[in-house]
Amino acid sequence: MTVRLTVAQALVRFLSVQYSERDGVRQRLFAGCLGIFGHGNVAGIGQALLQAELEDPDALPYILARNEQAMVHTASAFARTRDRLQTYACTASIGPGSTNMVTGAALATVNRLPVLILPSDVFATRVATPVLQELESFSAGDVSVNDAFRPVSKYFDRIWRPEQLPSALLNAMRVLTDPVETGAVTLALPQDVQAEAYDWPEELFTERTWYVARPLPEASIVDKAVDLLRASERPLIVAGGGVHYSGAEDALREFAEATGIPVAESQAGKGSLNYDHPQSVGAVGSTGTTAANALAREADLVIGIGTRYGDFTTASRTAFQNPDVRFVNINVARFDGGKHAGLPLVADAREALVSLGSALGDWAVDAKYTAHATELARNWDGIVHATYNPPAEVTAKLAEGLLTQGEVLGAVNELSAASDVVVCAAGSMPGDLHKLWRTRDPKGYHVEYGYSCMGYEIAGGLGVRLGAPDRDVFVMVGDGSYLMMSTELVTAVQENIKVIIVLVQNHGFASIGALSESLGSQRFGTSYRRRSGDGRLDGDYLPVDLAANVRSLGVDVIEVHSRAELEKAIGTAKAADGPIAIHVSTDPLIGAPDSESWWDVPVSEVSELQSTQTASAQYQESKAAQRPYLAPVKEDS
Ligand SMILES: Cc1ncc(C[n+]2csc(CCOP(=O)(O)OP(=O)(O)O)c2C)c(N)n1
Ligand SMILES: [Mg+2]
């Protein structure tokens, strides 16, 4: 039996009957389709979505976004919130609508988040070429702008003919639901092919379940890991995003408690252990706590769990200074398992922790070491407390109506519910949140720091709320990020997606300003100021009113000028039943407490400027601590 449908109708029908299943729990793989119509998808996929909605509104609900990059962020954030077991498809018109999604695709792939990207493409038949918005290559007839998706997609295909669709779809689902492979999957859809009818085998549209496996660790490798652990005296766990995706938080806590090993966290792994667990030493690396970084410096064995060891996590390979340091890397991907010449314990994080725990028996580190870690963490928490509640000598120096950023984070932390989610991506807040946020729920922390993409915040906040409708979502967004991409607020209004935007106005880039200064570049070009008489950008702040901007998009704003007003506003925002914003101004020159760590950002080797010369000398000094981590694990085991 065959069914006669267009390619777009077949695609929509297929997507509406895909499921993922893990641990016996089954869910729709696609919660819906985000999109913006234009030529290239309005008559193809647009028609198919309309027809589907009229037949069954739940088949593949359509959400109209405002910016194509943003809608991919929404899908990524949703997928992360749902532990990569569910996502959205994203459809865009040909040309700019589609290429706007390239950054979103890169973010999904870098963060290993499943998103189905459906850019529209030029005519397969080429009868009217060049069509509106078509790139003409002088040297190739089969190139389109969508080829830009190839390097940022885990799977790419272009459906030149209807017959290609079934195999492309099966490959797309395979990649989206594979914990190792997952990322952006791009199926480019020529606009004529979308509308073309074909006789499809009926089985294409039967329900299909994609089983998400928990690969078990190889027993002989578990044994080697046990040998390394037993031989270690100062092991440290580095928990990454894989702990969350695997749902390994309980297994991690049990493993840590049984062995006494302290637990440090990457950005994606934050919340793996609640902040007040005695073995939680918090963030590690360039944006880490002094507790985790002190332990990292001395560690003789690092047990990475679901981490890809980004340069923030390893402090650009200066975090681990013990000359004998070795790595055991629990990771579902061999690619990450082999990093730092570590022992790759290739497996699902939860399964690996359970196996390793039982193989270790009652082995534990010296209780003094665990107590030392707890002590360090307690000291750091004192610093957090002081940052949340700055002393009078700090607040007295603030200009009228300004708060410190630490106070803002503190107020939001202390007045949000444990299960609420904080969302951020770029600027100075991700680093501050990594160090300072007291995470009280494994899902309470959502900072996109794989791509650290300005503009992710609001769009991502929508995705988090769609994925966790029972949690309040606090979107921490700087003025720079806000100006880059805030228009999904209109989508939030249209769909009544409740997000609480905390818009932190500090007139420019506090983060890059501080970085610039530390690198001898004198905060050049990082604040939003008028040009002064000598042509420099150091005049008055610009008369922008971002609160009015938010209001103009249909979202209520509470403008606060003091800690007390901020606290009251958070209560009001929590009680609201739609999107709402809090506008707060902060002093960009008051930074977060020091991590006692480093990040490798090269400084000009020659310069006319004294500030750069000084920074360059410091850079060379810091760089000397950088280590390759190449010691083989074989010798020891
Ligand atoms: C899309 C994108 N462009 C540029 C950057 C580089 N960048 C990182 S933070 C930042 C400034 C962010 O400013 P703001 O949102 O106001 O946060 P603040 O630094 O003031 O906390 C820039 C330009 C980036 N991460 N993403
Ligand atoms: Mg700013």
Side-chain angles (χ1 to χ4, degrees):
M1 284 288 283
T2 58
V3 192
R4 191 159 178 82
L5 297 171
T6 68
V7 166
Q9 290 159 1
L11 168 74
V12 167
R13 189 176 291 191
F14 176 90
L15 296 181
S16 69
V17 291
Q18 304 307 303
Y19 292 80
S20 67
E21 182 176 324
R22 189 175 68 173
D23 303 333
V25 182
R26 185 173 180 259
Q27 53 269 305
R28 293 274 296 276
L29 180 54
F30 296 97
C33 182
L34 293 150
I36 295 180
F37 295 128
H39 90 105
N41 68 341
V42 66
I45 291 193
Q47 188 281 337
L49 284 165
L50 165 66
Q51 193 167 304
E53 185 176 290
L54 294 175
E55 273 167 28
D56 172 8
D58 295 329
L60 198 66
Y62 179 69
I63 297 180
L64 162 55
R66 297 302 181 283
N67 174 299
E68 293 88 355
Q69 181 191 129
M71 76 192 179
V72 184
H73 296 338
T74 300
S76 290
F78 175 83
R80 174 165 165 181
T81 303
R82 292 298 177 99
D83 291 329
R84 314 194 289 197
L85 299 168
Q86 280 192 294
T87 186
Y88 276 87
C90 298
T91 171
S93 56
I94 80 163
S98 287
T99 51
N100 264 0
M101 297 195 291
V102 172
T103 297
L107 183 145
T109 292
V110 167
N111 286 283
R112 322 256 174 105
L113 294 168
V115 179
L116 180 62
I117 313 250
L118 302 170
S120 299
D121 220 315
V122 296
F123 277 72
T125 58
R126 300 186 192 153
V127 285
T129 200
V131 297
L132 176 66
Q133 300 170 321
E134 176 170 348
L135 171 85
E136 290 183 277
S137 164
F138 288 14
S139 61
D142 63 348
V143 164
S144 85
V145 292
N146 287 338
D147 287 276
F149 282 97
R150 290 180 188 270
V152 292
S153 299
K154 284 300 189 77
Y155 186 79
F156 176 93
D157 205 351
R158 186 180 278 120
I159 314 300
W160 291 118
R161 294 190 53 80
E163 294 90 326
Q164 296 168 339
L165 185 67
S167 62
L169 286 173
L170 294 183
N171 273 315
M173 300 308 115
R174 167 183 65 78
V175 173
L176 288 170
T177 56
D178 181 335
V180 177
E181 285 286 307
T182 199
V185 166
T186 301
L187 297 181
L189 301 162
Q191 57 170 324
D192 51 347
V193 178
Q194 282 182 41
E196 194 174 332
Y198 185 74
D199 295 310
W200 307 95
E202 207 174 32
E203 314 84 79
L204 183 62
F205 310 114
T206 49
E207 285 190 2
R208 224 167 278 269
T209 303
W210 299 85
Y211 298 98
V212 180
R214 292 187 176 277
L216 299 177
E218 165 82 30
S220 65
I221 311 291
V222 172
D223 291 346
K224 284 187 199 303
V226 166
D227 291 346
L228 284 163
L229 270 156
R230 286 180 179 276
S232 73
E233 289 175 3
R234 289 186 298 280
L236 176 68
I237 289 170
V238 174
V243 172
H244 291 309
Y245 298 136
S246 158
E249 296 92 350
D250 289 345
L252 173 65
R253 194 183 55 251
E254 283 158 25
F255 180 83
E257 286 172 359
T259 59
I261 305 175
V263 177
E265 296 167 336
S266 73
Q267 276 278 13
K270 194 165 157 84
S272 294
L273 201 58
N274 280 355
Y275 89 98
D276 56 355
H277 188 284
Q279 283 165 253
S280 169
V281 295
V284 68
S286 305
T287 51
T289 70
T290 50
N293 284 337
L295 295 172
R297 262 192 299 279
E298 306 280 311
D300 55 0
L301 185 69
V302 178
I303 304 131
I305 310 174
T307 176
R308 56 192 197 100
Y309 289 114
D311 67 343
F312 268 76
T313 304
T314 67
S316 303
R317 304 200 185 191
T318 61
F320 309 108
Q321 286 293 329
N322 185 325
D324 297 320
V325 64
R326 299 285 188 278
F327 294 80
V328 170
N329 301 323
I330 296 173
N331 208 295
V332 75
R334 181 165 281 273
F335 179 83
D336 299 301
K339 286 178 177 172
H340 304 320
L343 177 74
L345 191 55
V346 179
D348 171 77
R350 193 183 82 186
E351 297 301 324
L353 283 165
V354 169
S355 299
L356 198 56
S358 70
L360 274 168
D362 58 5
W363 176 84
V365 295
D366 188 330
K368 282 199 213 96
Y369 174 65
T370 312
H372 172 58
T374 302
E375 181 64 25
L376 290 172
R378 199 173 296 139
N379 292 345
W380 176 260
D381 200 55
I383 296 175
V384 174
H385 178 82
T387 313
Y388 281 9
N389 306 285
E393 64 254 37
V394 173
T395 52
K397 285 189 209 130
L398 291 168
E400 182 67 24
L402 296 197
L403 278 75
T404 68
Q405 187 159 289
E407 269 184 290
V408 174
L409 302 186
V412 175
N413 184 277
E414 287 174 350
L415 296 171
S416 56
S419 61
D420 291 349
V421 189
V422 67
V423 177
C424 197
S428 57
M429 282 191 282
D432 291 9
L433 286 165
H434 194 210
K435 295 177 191 183
L436 300 171
W437 189 258
R438 291 173 170 159
T439 315
R440 302 148 287 167
D441 178 288
K443 287 235 173 303
Y445 186 85
H446 183 122
V447 174
E448 186 283 298
Y449 215 59
Y451 212 44
S452 186
C453 185
M454 286 171 81
Y456 175 88
E457 295 86 352
I458 294 173
L462 265 56
V464 174
R465 175 71 179 190
L466 286 168
D470 298 332
R471 296 172 187 257
D472 265 328
V473 176
F474 284 87
V475 173
M476 311 299 299
V477 60
D479 56 315
S481 268
Y482 179 86
L483 285 169
M484 208 168 272
M485 201 187 290
S486 51
T487 44
E488 290 317 300
L489 284 177
V490 180
T491 308
V493 172
Q494 182 161 42
E495 301 288 341
N496 197 31
I497 300 168
K498 185 188 171 188
V499 283
I500 301 171
I501 310 297
V502 180
L503 172 46
V504 177
Q505 170 63 281
N506 57 18
H507 299 279
F509 308 161
S511 51
I512 307 301
L515 182 66
S516 166
E517 187 165 0
S518 74
L519 303 174
S521 295
Q522 307 174 19
R523 294 187 178 251
F524 173 66
T526 59
S527 45
Y528 296 155
R529 288 171 182 269
R530 289 187 194 276
R531 289 204 186 277
S532 59
D534 60 1
R536 310 287 313 279
L537 284 175
D538 57 5
D540 292 340
Y541 284 138
L542 309 181
V544 293
D545 183 347
L546 296 184
N549 187 277
V550 173
R551 215 171 279 123
S552 76
L553 300 178
V555 174
D556 280 346
V557 190
I558 310 170
E559 294 180 66
V560 304
H561 308 93
S562 68
R563 175 78 175 248
E565 285 179 15
L566 174 61
E567 290 178 354
K568 185 156 171 262
I570 294 168
T572 308
K574 277 196 65 73
D577 52 14
I580 185 162
I582 298 170
H583 180 282
V584 58
S585 293
T586 59
D587 186 332
L589 298 181
I590 301 181
D594 190 34
S595 275
E596 294 177 7
S597 189
W598 184 68
W599 183 39
D600 189 346
V601 181
V603 178
S604 303
E605 279 189 287
V606 292
S607 163
E608 304 281 316
L609 309 176
Q610 181 60 48
S611 59
T612 310
Q613 290 164 13
T614 309
S616 177
Q618 270 163 10
Y619 175 72
Q620 295 306 335
E621 214 173 284
S622 306
K623 210 162 158 64
Q626 212 164 28
R627 307 193 50 221
Y629 305 138
L630 291 172
V633 285
K634 271 193 241 109
E635 302 156 24
D636 308 69
S637 45

